[in-house]
Amino acid sequence: MTFSGAASIAGIGATEFSKESGRSELQLSAEATLSALADAGLSASDVDGLVTFTMDTSSEIALARELGMGELRFFSRINYGGGAACATVQQAAMAVATGMADVVVAYRGFNERSGQRFGQVSLGAATQVNTNGLDNAWTYPHGLSTPAATVAMQARRYMHEYGATSADFGAVAVADRKHAATNPAAFFHDKPITLEDHQNSRMIADPLRLLDCCQESDGAVAIVVTSTERARDLRAGAVPIVAAAQGSGADQFVMTSYFRDDLGIPEIGVVGRDLWRQSGLTPADIQTAVLYDHFTPYVLMQLEELGFCGRGEAKDFIADGAIELGGRLPLNTHGGQLGEAYIHGMNGIAEAVRQLRGASVNQVDGVEHVLVTAGTGVPTSGLVLGR
Amino acid sequence: MTTDEEIIARTDEIKARGKSPARVAPDPVNVPMIRHWAEAIGDTNPRWAPGPDTEAPPAMAQVWTMYGLNPERMPGDPLPDTMQVLDDAGFTSVLGTNCDQTYARTLRPGEAPSISTYLADVVGPKKTGVGEGWFITTKSVWTVGDEQVATMTFRVLKFKPGTGRPAVDRTKTLRPVVNRDTEFFWAGTAAGELRIQSCNACGELRHPPGPVCPVCHAMDRGYVVASGRGVVHSFLVHHAPAVPGKRLPLTLALVELAEGVRMVGEVDGDVAIGDAVEVWFDRIDDDLTLVKWRPAGAPAPEAEPEVESDLPVWELPITPTLVVSTALATRDFQDVHHDRDRSIGHGSKDIFINILSTTGLVQRYVTDWAGPQTQILSCALRLGAPAHPYDTLRFTGTIVSEADGVTTLDVRADVSIGTHANARLEIRR
């Protein structure tokens, strides 16, 4: 049995992206799911599988009830925050490829700005009675207790070892906001920034500035997965899942893998190696990518781990607009999570689908394969989508 | 909104009015109020006990002329009028900061003191720890007939709530989840030891610890006590958002210990990658001691100097009953002294002891030591950290000078978060 290309993305859907949705998280997920099913030309009764994040507050059965889906044959959840994004589609594709389900929807919906904000200190994360809580005992009581701070520790070491600067991180923010500026769905539509804006933004966790950090957003995204054969006959056609992988590094922690020899994010290297193995492709075969941008330094480090450039060379790789539309490797053409919205990476998968359909507002020419990654610093995942 | 100039102009008018007409105490000095006060303060001085020779404690001077629960303000009283000006300008919260009193003699039951007050000073706007505000100073005299029996310089801060530096309550520090695999580490910090897990089979050192040696799979483990020296491997400075129990900005480092393992911890002072640091132990409370770091060779962080006390140290547990009973016995019906919900609503963490009661407790402390016949001549009190229930007041006192039969004393009353009050008293023994 071959996994590569057996399953496809047949539909994508989303709510609007805002700072205050005014609806429940379950309603957001239901709206996005209906939107994705409509895009695919399928109905709720066609769905027999659901996948979401362990962190999601709307269970698979709750969503199934709201949409009158009836019986489910497959349901699954993926752990580790934003690292789950691409893995939800991987789970769906594996279920379809193995015949465990016919139509699986991967969804994520939250009021992450108007409700529980991930950028604040989470008492729940600090006090959970499990090994994650035990892990956090080495950081939270000291005050290392926000995602930005955990990344800042990594970023400082990266700058020290490879000579990257805050301005190099800023180039990612500038590219994201440039792309968001022309995307009407983006929260920062029509609001580009300059590198000077980035350098003038206030410190959040030195060396990270405000404009190095993704937004906090309300919204939902859903992705419909079915067999490539069936998808070809559906309304929107097929976007084949060429490769899908998860990855966890040696001595892995959640956001605080500080105890292994090299800091960094080797977990995405695990993902990358498996994506290239499954697909038979190399970085040279990728025309555009969506690299998870919760914090800008991790975009640079991902480029290196995924093999787009050598270790420490990302600052040169991204220079001179290389990651902007028209550059050598446009990244995050929807505006990314800094520019469009932070929907835990699921909106990036939708953008990859649009690029392969030729339907992005920031369309890249001649797109054959798009790489998408999930949150790093945590056990993570990735996809290569094709045509 | 009133401007600074308008505040100055309006309060200048109040100043220009000079002394207010004398206002007589609503009740004459009386034995029941003295007895309630002595019970609440816990002052067993026999001079205050009911009997033919009962005297009123000097610290009660202000009590007799307090307005009470449903006051009808006397027209022309400068303090309420000045407060109103600042209320109108948005400086709606109030904090007593100084109370300097002198006493010519004690009062006797049946005497009805009168108070006359003038506005001495309005200074502001000042940035203070609790917020932006104005200091109001009034001066009062109490008379019985034509005889001046006591004086007071009273200073309050009227401030805008929510404009201060957020107070940092270290006890809000997030607590570590601890289990049987990690408890040795936390027992170590409490004992002033930095412990690193070691494998009893192969000797591998490991942090963070766990139940199994990842190298040899032995589950027989112990620990070594680290040298406490390390090097900064990376660091960050946290500016936002707020972190419970921490003052920002907060420098956090990943320290590589001489023994080869790494740990995250707070660092005092500026650091760079590669800097040598050494450990110290910061006791947060009975349940938590944190490992912290400072540049190697830097002086130890200023430990609270042990207060030298000529007077025996007196520790008084603060209960809600103490706060409420003393507030009512001093006829202070401000909600922040008896209503916890309202007090929290005003931005406080709980109810707190009022300034009249602190004055009473300080004088009780002095006369308990100096003897019941001691005459208090003056008491200049400056208030600092609030005294909340479930904390402890720790009184210490030093003799400053003794001359012409007058002893000058400095008394300090500490609570867990700092000094609640400093007072200088003159007494005749």
Side-chain angles (χ1 to χ4, degrees):
Chain A
M1 181 173 53
T2 307
F3 173 81
S4 181
S8 283
I9 293 175
I12 55 174
T15 62
E16 84 289 359
F17 305 130
S18 74
K19 301 295 178 192
E20 180 151 23
S21 74
R23 287 105 79 197
S24 72
E25 295 181 330
L26 177 56
Q27 181 175 333
L28 293 176
S29 288
E31 289 178 20
T33 301
L34 287 173
S35 160
L37 289 168
D39 181 51
L42 292 168
S43 66
S45 58
D46 293 317
V47 177
D48 58 358
L50 288 170
V51 188
T52 189
F53 293 49
T54 304
M55 277 183 84
D56 203 277
T57 61
S58 303
S59 73
E60 306 92 303
I61 55 174
L63 182 61
R65 284 197 308 269
E66 290 315 300
L67 299 182
M69 283 175 175
E71 296 173 351
L72 297 177
R73 295 197 294 142
F74 177 76
F75 29 89
S76 178
R77 297 247 190 156
I78 310 292
N79 205 340
Y80 307 116
C86 295
T88 63
V89 173
Q90 182 200 38
Q91 287 277 302
M94 289 196 296
V96 167
T98 55
M100 299 295 165
D102 293 329
V103 176
V104 181
V105 175
Y107 66 94
R108 178 76 173 116
F110 52 26
N111 289 321
E112 193 271 325
R113 180 58 179 77
S114 66
Q116 194 197 334
R117 299 173 61 177
F118 295 175
Q120 304 289 312
V121 177
S122 165
L123 183 64
T127 57
Q128 54 190 321
V129 184
N130 54 36
T131 57
N132 285 355
L134 285 164
D135 291 347
N136 288 339
W138 309 114
T139 50
Y140 274 66
H142 296 288
L144 186 79
S145 46
T146 62
T150 62
V151 176
M153 188 78 90
Q154 289 261 15
R156 174 91 59 190
R157 184 72 200 180
Y158 179 81
M159 294 164 89
H160 174 80
E161 289 192 3
Y162 304 112
T165 63
S166 172
D168 295 326
F169 301 153
V172 175
V174 169
D176 271 357
R177 292 290 292 269
K178 177 182 177 180
H179 300 154
T182 52
N183 173 9
F187 183 80
F188 285 120
H189 177 229
D190 222 10
K191 292 191 178 69
I193 59 166
T194 63
L195 188 59
E196 195 180 8
D197 294 333
H198 172 271
Q199 290 293 294
N200 290 335
S201 66
R202 68 190 167 100
M203 281 296 182
I204 297 298
D206 191 350
L208 295 193
R209 301 174 180 280
L210 178 66
L211 292 177
D212 288 307
C213 307
C214 66
Q215 303 179 58
E216 295 175 302
S217 304
D218 287 8
V221 168
I223 309 285
V224 180
V225 176
T226 189
S227 69
T228 298
E229 191 181 357
R230 184 169 181 188
R232 297 256 182 240
D233 297 330
L234 291 175
R235 187 181 155 277
V239 172
I241 297 160
V242 177
Q246 283 188 298
S248 167
D251 211 5
Q252 181 77 43
F253 284 73
V254 174
M255 299 303 282
T256 55
S257 300
Y258 297 154
F259 311 102
R260 50 197 181 198
D261 289 346
D262 290 323
L263 300 187
I265 48 172
E267 54 273 7
I268 199 68
V270 176
V271 169
R273 290 193 297 278
D274 213 52
L275 293 176
W276 307 136
R277 180 191 63 76
Q278 289 179 33
S279 64
L281 301 172
T282 70
D285 299 310
I286 302 296
Q287 291 77 40
T288 179
V290 179
L291 299 188
Y292 196 98
D293 53 345
H294 42 355
F295 300 98
T296 55
Y298 277 177
V299 173
L300 273 66
M301 293 158 77
Q302 284 182 78
L303 286 165
E304 297 167 10
E305 287 286 344
L306 292 164
F308 287 94
C309 57
R311 181 65 65 92
E313 295 172 0
K315 65 182 195 304
D316 306 314
F317 182 90
I318 64 165
D320 305 322
I323 56 172
E324 297 175 16
L325 199 59
R328 152 169 48 153
L329 181 71
L331 295 182
N332 304 342
T333 49
H334 56 319
Q337 301 191 97
L338 279 80
E340 186 181 63
Y342 175 81
I343 311 294
H344 241 167
M346 295 298 275
N347 48 325
I349 301 171
E351 174 64 8
V353 170
R354 285 189 292 267
Q355 283 289 352
L356 287 156
R357 289 176 177 175
S360 171
V361 293
N362 292 314
Q363 187 62 44
V364 175
D365 293 335
V367 175
E368 294 293 326
H369 293 103
V370 182
L371 171 72
V372 190
T373 59
T376 56
V378 294
T380 185
S381 55
L383 298 169
V384 174
L385 304 181
R387 285 164 62 90
Chain B
M1 186 58 63
T2 321
T3 65
D4 294 351
E5 290 72 27
E6 283 168 323
I7 290 172
I8 291 163
R10 287 179 63 187
T11 55
D12 276 350
E13 281 173 31
I14 298 169
K15 257 195 249 179
R17 300 200 309 235
K19 281 187 183 174
S20 69
R23 175 170 59 84
V24 69
D27 299 297
V29 173
N30 62 85
V31 172
M33 272 174 62
I34 294 170
R35 192 166 63 77
H36 288 314
W37 182 94
E39 275 185 26
I41 297 290
D43 191 339
T44 55
N45 190 326
R47 288 162 64 202
W48 326 140
D53 299 321
T54 304
E55 294 171 69
M60 284 188 78
Q62 199 180 354
V63 174
W64 305 113
T65 50
M66 290 290 279
Y67 270 111
L69 179 55
N70 294 307
E72 221 173 273
R73 300 282 182 208
M74 185 187 68
D77 192 341
L79 187 54
D81 288 355
T82 309
M83 298 250 230
Q84 187 63 52
V85 171
L86 289 155
D87 280 336
D88 293 347
F91 299 90
T92 51
S93 293
V94 65
L95 199 68
T97 63
N98 296 76
C99 178
D100 302 354
Q101 297 182 339
T102 66
Y103 315 104
R105 64 168 175 87
T106 54
L107 297 175
R108 299 278 182 175
E111 293 185 310
S114 295
I115 185 170
S116 173
T117 302
Y118 69 93
L119 177 62
D121 226 350
V122 177
V123 178
K126 296 271 190 194
K127 288 217 179 296
T128 75
V130 293
E132 188 189 336
W134 295 68
F135 288 96
I136 304 172
T137 307
T138 56
K139 289 185 181 280
S140 302
V141 294
W142 285 280
T143 50
V144 173
D146 292 334
E147 181 193 4
Q148 181 174 307
V149 290
T151 70
M152 175 171 70
T153 301
F154 195 66
R155 182 171 298 141
V156 298
L157 171 67
K158 284 288 281 177
F159 63 98
K160 269 186 193 159
T163 58
R165 219 175 23 247
V168 172
D169 181 352
R170 281 158 51 86
T171 64
K172 293 283 195 296
T173 299
L174 291 177
R175 304 292 151 152
V177 174
V178 179
N179 77 350
R180 64 189 69 195
D181 298 331
T182 66
E183 63 193 358
F184 77 95
F185 179 88
W186 299 102
T189 64
E193 287 183 359
L194 182 55
R195 296 176 179 173
I196 307 171
Q197 179 176 306
S198 62
C199 174
N200 285 343
C202 75
E204 176 83 1
L205 296 184
R206 183 187 185 203
H207 185 87
V212 186
C213 174
V215 175
C216 75
H217 292 178
M219 297 179 200
D220 177 16
R221 55 197 183 273
Y223 63 82
V224 297
V225 176
S227 65
R229 290 191 304 275
V231 169
V232 173
H233 189 72
S234 191
F235 71 99
L236 67 111
V237 185
H238 182 99
H239 291 267
V243 178
K246 307 291 182 185
R247 185 174 294 288
L248 303 183
L250 171 70
T251 302
L252 292 159
L254 179 61
V255 176
E256 187 149 310
L257 275 62
E259 290 79 5
V261 300
R262 293 190 197 132
M263 294 181 187
V264 168
E266 191 179 335
V267 194
D268 305 315
D270 289 335
V271 290
I273 288 176
D275 280 2
V277 290
E278 60 192 23
V279 76
W280 66 282
F281 296 92
D282 188 13
R283 183 181 174 282
I284 305 299
D285 55 26
D286 287 347
D287 298 326
L288 180 62
T289 298
L290 286 177
V291 171
K292 294 196 176 173
W293 302 87
R294 59 171 178 254
E302 196 116 332
E304 274 293 299
E306 199 54 36
V307 182
E308 302 224 347
S309 190
D310 298 324
L311 278 62
V313 176
W314 175 39
E315 293 201 343
L316 175 65
I318 309 169
T319 60
T321 303
L322 177 75
V323 177
V324 174
S325 65
T326 54
L328 300 187
T330 54
R331 294 177 34 79
D332 184 342
F333 298 92
Q334 296 270 348
D335 53 20
V336 290
H337 305 307
H338 62 257
D339 184 333
R340 185 171 194 267
D341 291 343
R342 293 292 292 271
S343 190
I344 290 170
H346 288 301
S348 190
K349 91 168 205 188
D350 203 333
I351 57 173
F352 53 91
I353 291 178
N354 71 335
I355 195 164
L356 281 74
S357 299
T358 299
T359 301
L361 290 167
V362 165
Q363 294 186 21
R364 171 193 159 187
Y365 175 56
V366 169
T367 53
D368 279 358
W369 164 73
Q373 294 308 321
T374 303
Q375 188 188 356
I376 307 253
L377 304 173
S378 69
C379 173
L381 186 91
R382 187 165 42 116
L383 276 190
H388 295 296
Y390 311 110
D391 205 334
T392 299
L393 270 169
R394 186 170 188 273
F395 291 86
T396 48
T398 50
I399 297 168
V400 178
S401 64
E402 294 190 273
D404 304 329
V406 174
T407 305
T408 303
L409 296 168
D410 278 346
V411 171
R412 189 167 123 184
D414 288 322
V415 288
S416 62
I417 55 171
T419 298
H420 166 60
N422 284 298
R424 173 158 292 189
L425 295 93
E426 292 173 309
I427 61 171
R428 195 184 297 280
R429 299 172 77 172

